[in-house]
Amino acid sequence: MFGSSPADAFEQKAQKLRRAVERARMQFSQKTRPPSTNRTSDVLTGSYFDYLPVELIINICCQTDWRDVTRLRLVSRAFKELVDANESIIATRWMVPGSYLALLSQLFYPPKSKTGDGVRRPTIQYFYGLEKRHITCSQLAYYLCDKAVAPISSDGTEKVDEAILIWLTFRYYVLHFLTYSRLRLEANKAAIAAENSDEPLTPGDLNSAYLSIQSNIITTFDNQTLISTHHALHFLVNSIRLSMSPEPPHKQNDELVAIILRCQMPLNRCVEFFAADCQGAPRSLRKQFMQDMEGERMDAENRFGGGAPLRRSSSGHSREASRRKWSPKVTEVWFEAAKIALTERGLQEHKPDGVYFFPECSQELLIGCPGCKLK
């Protein structure tokens, strides 16, 4: 009655210690849970992750491949919430300065945050999109290397020139230009159509708008980027021309080349073309490519071609005596706008990016343009 025994005192201390440990465990568990407004119940990962600080977990994710983090989201709801709450931080740390992802992120901006603050934040889905663009560009680069450099030399070793690999960096700028020029033209067309619903656009009107849009994009390129991208597109177009028409005239299929450059996914179509053109490619692959291109032709004609009614002049007569089939030209994509930019900057004469051997022609050809001068 007048005091507790040593055993009772020890039991009280043990209970206090257990309560303190439980409180500490709950605090660590709360720290490891990401904030979520949609949480319906408290869920733990059921692993030692529950006891790690969030900063350490993020650091671990940043040291892994993005595919591993994507798989981690599929393990449980707790892991999914953990990754989703911190994906912008994780995706940002994946973009190492100087890497291809950092360059692509400068050309293709992250989406705006869903919180409504207007800030652009990278996500895992955005990172996945950059990776797909890189894979497409890399595949195209390898196909073009095969066209430009003899794959096997006389001594049986691979012949690869480092200069062409440096030049292929500008494949990203080619994709950037083709993507944004198409998107802006579609937006411009919709805006003009809404303002002038009584006067449908003609192909000539769209070509003028297209030239202006392309010129605005080119103004963001510095001189060296402009020249190398100009050479890259020359090389790409000439390689397709040569594959389609090995015998002169090499420009007889230019309409198809123009449609490839103006379709929804131009570089993907280029990769599919070279894959179907390879020796030993199955006939079904070539047939599928031609079917896809026929669909692209119809889609492009509806969006940019002569599918719309012709405008009427003030006298009531059509601008043209009869409707003509839409015939896109290769020069309408990049080359006309680039020629104007090169003239304005005084860059008509410049050095080529290299001289390479083309097995199909059995001769050396410049990777450049008509304005290149060997100095």
Side-chain angles (χ1 to χ4, degrees):
M1 291 180 61
F2 298 99
S4 59
S5 64
D8 293 337
F10 181 79
E11 181 63 26
Q12 292 176 0
K13 291 181 179 180
Q15 290 179 358
K16 290 181 180 180
L17 181 61
R18 282 197 295 269
R19 288 195 294 268
V21 170
E22 185 63 26
R23 284 197 301 270
R25 180 181 181 279
M26 292 301 297
Q27 290 176 357
F28 275 111
S29 299
Q30 292 174 359
K31 285 187 66 177
T32 57
R33 295 194 197 106
S36 175
T37 57
N38 299 324
R39 184 181 298 279
T40 57
S41 61
D42 293 333
V43 181
L44 299 178
T45 66
S47 67
Y48 285 106
F49 271 73
D50 300 334
Y51 302 97
L52 296 178
V54 177
E55 295 79 7
L56 181 58
I57 298 176
I58 293 174
N59 205 16
I60 293 173
C61 292
C62 293
Q63 302 301 320
T64 61
D65 187 80
W66 67 272
R67 297 174 183 84
D68 296 329
V69 176
T70 303
R71 296 187 189 102
L72 181 65
R73 293 180 71 255
L74 303 177
V75 173
S76 66
R77 186 174 70 181
F79 278 121
K80 179 180 182 300
E81 292 177 348
L82 178 68
V83 172
D84 291 349
N86 302 282
E87 64 174 344
S88 62
I89 300 175
I90 297 172
T92 301
R93 294 188 184 178
W94 276 333
M95 297 176 186
V96 180
S99 66
Y100 67 89
L101 287 172
L103 175 58
L104 281 171
S105 66
Q106 296 173 8
L107 300 176
F108 299 92
Y109 302 124
K112 291 185 178 180
S113 175
K114 296 180 180 179
T115 58
D117 56 4
V119 179
R120 295 184 178 275
R121 295 187 177 91
T123 61
I124 295 179
Q125 185 177 4
Y126 166 73
F127 185 88
Y128 173 71
L130 293 184
E131 188 74 16
K132 285 187 65 177
R133 289 186 172 102
H134 170 67
I135 292 173
T136 299
C137 291
S138 298
Q139 289 175 335
L140 180 59
Y142 284 119
Y143 281 123
L144 292 177
C145 278
D146 288 338
K147 292 289 182 183
V149 183
I152 302 296
S153 62
S154 57
D155 58 356
T157 59
E158 293 186 1
K159 179 181 177 183
V160 179
D161 197 317
E162 293 182 0
I164 194 171
L165 298 178
I166 296 173
W167 165 78
L168 287 171
T169 302
F170 291 93
R171 63 191 181 272
Y172 298 138
Y173 289 95
V174 173
L175 177 61
H176 163 81
F177 174 81
L178 294 177
T179 300
Y180 282 109
S181 59
R182 177 183 59 80
L183 292 175
R184 294 182 187 181
L185 178 60
E186 291 178 348
N188 189 273
K189 177 185 175 182
I192 296 178
E195 295 176 359
N196 304 281
S197 57
D198 56 332
E199 295 185 357
L201 293 172
T202 65
D205 297 323
L206 288 175
N207 286 338
S208 299
Y210 194 35
L211 178 62
S212 176
I213 290 169
Q214 293 179 101
S215 298
N216 290 334
I217 296 176
I218 289 177
T219 57
T220 63
F221 293 1
D222 58 49
N223 290 348
Q224 186 55 50
T225 301
L226 170 60
I227 292 173
S228 292
T229 306
H230 190 48
H231 293 168
L233 278 160
H234 263 286
F235 183 37
L236 175 61
V237 169
N238 289 335
S239 297
I240 298 176
R241 282 171 171 169
L242 192 61
S243 296
M244 285 187 175
S245 308
E247 299 296 331
H250 302 297
K251 299 182 180 181
Q252 60 183 338
N253 289 300
D254 269 9
E255 183 173 320
L256 181 59
V257 178
I259 293 175
I260 291 176
L261 296 178
R262 295 186 68 165
C263 69
Q264 295 282 349
M265 297 182 294
L267 292 197
N268 292 71
R269 286 288 183 242
C270 291
V271 170
E272 292 171 3
F273 167 77
F274 287 117
D277 188 58
C278 287
Q279 290 185 357
R283 185 177 179 183
S284 58
L285 191 62
R286 300 181 182 183
K287 182 178 180 181
Q288 184 62 47
F289 174 77
M290 294 308 299
Q291 290 176 349
D292 292 340
M293 284 310 304
E294 185 61 29
E296 294 286 5
R297 181 193 297 274
M298 296 176 60
D299 179 64
E301 187 167 353
N302 291 333
R303 290 185 295 121
F304 309 125
L310 295 172
R311 282 185 177 179
R312 300 282 177 174
S313 63
S314 57
S315 61
H317 298 288
S318 64
R319 288 186 175 182
E320 302 179 62
S322 61
R323 186 185 302 276
R324 294 180 297 183
K325 179 183 177 182
W326 180 56
S327 181
K329 298 179 178 59
V330 172
T331 54
E332 295 171 351
V333 183
W334 173 267
F335 297 103
E336 187 175 349
K339 183 178 179 181
I340 296 173
L342 289 170
T343 302
E344 291 176 346
R345 302 187 191 189
L347 302 174
Q348 298 96 323
E349 296 185 2
H350 48 266
K351 293 182 180 180
D353 280 324
V355 181
Y356 300 97
F357 177 74
F358 279 68
E360 292 88 345
C361 296
S362 299
Q363 61 182 355
E364 290 184 343
L365 296 180
L366 286 177
I367 292 186
C369 62
C372 287
K373 301 293 182 181
L374 287 173
K375 299 181 181 178

